[in-house]
Amino acid sequence: MMHSHWRDCQEWRKSGLPLSTTSNEAAKLYDALLTQYTGWYDDDSVGGMEKTAKGLLSADPDFVMGRAIVNGLTAAGTAKSPLLDKQFSRELDDMVKLAESQPITPREKKHVEAVSLFSKGELNKATFVWEEILLDHPTDMLALKFAHDAYFYLGQARQMRDSVAAVMPSWNATIPLYGYLHGQLAFGLCETDHWREAEKYARKGLELIPRDGWATHALAHVMEMQGRPREGVAFLSNTIDDWTTCKWIACHNFWHWALYHIEQGEHAAALDIYDSEIGKRANSGQMLDIVDACSMLFRLELEGVKVGQERWDDVVEIVRPHVDDHLLVFNDSHFLMAFNGGKKKSYSDQLLESLRNFVA
């Protein structure tokens, strides 16, 4: 457990981020879900993210921001499309109708608008709305984190950096979740080639929150970009008990660890990490874990390593249900890696045909 106090309705009002619910339980579970999302982990005290989300919706079914965060997390996971998943589509429609029927705040209305846009694939438009929220409410971590993830998906590195940098002066150490800003800014700085500054902020983030999996990830990127694979292996191995508590990013950090081994020609070590961690975690249903598995096997094959048909077959079976999703071209390209690597030409053809129909 990384956090023990959840904000009730009064505390949210005092913070300048009032929530349109009279349920203190709903307000606290909203905070619990936001905190776990920001920290990439499951808090056992509230049953993890999935149980927290269910409890949040149950505590106040009419709580619009409860619907917004839960639907936003589903969309951000990029494993469900409202075009294909009727239940998710209904949940989004219900959220919009609920928002229209209640006297909620302008900030909350914008959250609903942004989540609706994001779920429909309008990521750019969604970021504009979240940035509008941050202009008036720079300490709204949900807007900041959703925007951060959208910029990541869009490959908009400067926006990812500047979005966090713009709000940092409005934060201080007394505001919950403050420590996580450093890892977020560090990653944006790294992706815009400011590696020295990125390392400074990543290490500050880890000083404040040693178990911050995203700050760990940012520092792993810095070491990757600066050609420091041995130091990277040492860093991740020495801090493994910290960042593996963040189950939603742990697989990707293992992926970076394996990548360091590939760079040093240590292919067997990379494959060992795949078998012990990445391949197993790909069964989580989380898209980031799935694409990590696709990518790692493909990279090893490019290095001349024969990973074996069985490994490819396992990944192909995980990927197949998502062939028509088309939520991110990043995901689709990784699906193609799996089908081609697994020598499943018919599946590759199916994916390409589905893409043609999607953009037609």
Side-chain angles (χ1 to χ4, degrees):
M1 186 174 71
M2 300 184 191
H3 195 72
S4 58
H5 175 76
W6 312 117
R7 288 167 281 184
D8 61 16
C9 294
Q10 183 178 3
E11 289 173 291
W12 279 108
R13 283 194 298 272
K14 286 181 178 179
S15 71
L17 302 168
L19 299 173
S20 296
T21 179
T22 58
S23 169
N24 280 322
E25 180 68 9
K28 289 180 178 181
L29 289 175
Y30 172 84
D31 194 13
L33 187 56
L34 173 62
T35 299
Q36 291 171 91
Y37 169 45
T38 304
W40 295 81
Y41 70 98
D42 277 337
D43 190 319
D44 292 338
S45 73
V46 285
M49 289 185 69
E50 185 174 350
K51 187 174 180 179
T52 305
K54 290 179 180 178
L56 169 58
L57 297 178
S58 176
D60 183 357
D62 295 329
F63 179 27
V64 172
M65 283 302 292
R67 302 287 189 101
I69 189 173
V70 171
N71 288 333
L73 287 172
T74 300
T78 72
K80 285 187 179 182
S81 166
L83 298 176
L84 300 175
D85 190 311
K86 294 182 179 179
Q87 178 62 31
F88 184 35
S89 180
R90 283 193 296 269
E91 289 166 357
L92 289 165
D93 289 341
D94 290 344
M95 174 189 68
V96 172
K97 291 175 183 176
L98 192 61
E100 292 172 345
S101 68
Q102 293 188 14
I104 60 176
T105 66
R107 180 181 68 91
E108 292 170 311
K109 289 179 181 178
K110 287 179 180 178
H111 267 295
V112 169
E113 179 186 359
V115 168
S116 183
L117 287 167
F118 189 97
S119 66
K120 296 174 182 176
E122 299 282 359
L123 275 64
N124 263 316
K125 292 181 180 179
T127 62
F128 296 157
V129 180
W130 281 315
E131 291 294 351
E132 287 178 5
I133 293 173
L134 291 169
L135 284 173
D136 295 324
H137 304 279
T139 60
D140 187 332
M141 180 56 88
L142 186 64
L144 184 66
K145 184 67 166 66
F146 275 155
H148 192 73
D149 286 355
Y151 290 136
F152 173 71
Y153 291 146
L154 291 165
Q156 295 179 352
R158 285 187 299 171
Q159 292 90 329
M160 186 165 54
R161 175 197 66 198
D162 294 347
S163 178
V164 181
V167 303
M168 281 197 78
S170 299
W171 286 70
N172 61 66
T174 68
I175 301 174
L177 309 180
Y178 164 77
Y180 290 111
L181 291 174
H182 298 78
Q184 293 172 4
L185 181 57
F187 187 65
L189 285 164
C190 181
E191 292 297 277
T192 51
D193 301 338
H194 296 283
W195 302 319
R196 188 172 300 176
E197 285 293 297
E199 181 161 355
K200 181 183 77 172
Y201 277 100
R203 291 193 182 279
K204 179 62 176 178
L206 290 170
E207 177 187 323
L208 294 170
I209 307 175
R211 295 182 176 184
D212 184 351
W214 192 245
T216 299
H217 172 247
L219 187 51
H221 262 263
V222 171
M223 292 177 179
E224 168 71 26
M225 297 305 296
Q226 291 187 324
R228 298 154 60 187
R230 290 190 183 280
E231 190 177 348
V233 169
F235 164 59
L236 290 178
S237 61
N238 290 336
T239 58
I240 188 171
D241 290 340
D242 290 328
W243 55 263
T244 48
T245 62
C246 303
K247 64 175 286 188
W248 307 108
I249 190 65
C251 183
H252 191 61
N253 284 336
F254 276 116
W255 180 91
H256 277 281
W257 190 341
L259 194 60
Y260 291 141
H261 285 303
I262 290 177
E263 290 178 350
Q264 298 175 89
E266 299 165 354
H267 299 142
L271 199 56
D272 283 345
I273 291 175
Y274 179 87
D275 287 337
S276 63
E277 298 292 347
I278 300 170
K280 292 179 180 178
R281 291 172 184 267
N283 290 294
S284 67
Q286 298 304 307
M287 192 53 63
L288 183 57
D289 297 350
I290 294 171
V291 298
D292 279 340
C294 298
S295 171
M296 184 49 58
L297 290 184
F298 201 76
R299 283 171 180 264
L300 284 165
E301 290 274 0
L302 290 174
E303 290 286 313
V305 179
K306 301 301 181 185
V307 302
Q309 190 63 42
E310 184 176 349
R311 290 188 180 93
W312 279 122
D313 287 346
D314 289 343
V315 173
V316 166
E317 286 307 304
I318 296 171
V319 165
R320 279 186 67 192
H322 300 284
V323 71
D324 295 315
D325 287 1
H326 309 314
L327 292 166
L328 294 174
V329 69
F330 178 84
N331 293 354
D332 286 327
S333 64
H334 282 76
F335 301 162
L336 193 60
M337 290 179 196
F339 295 150
N340 286 345
K343 298 179 176 59
K344 306 294 184 181
K345 186 178 184 301
S346 63
Y347 298 162
S348 296
D349 291 343
Q350 180 185 351
L351 173 62
L352 293 173
E353 182 62 22
S354 180
L355 278 166
R356 293 187 191 98
N357 294 333
F358 181 74
V359 300

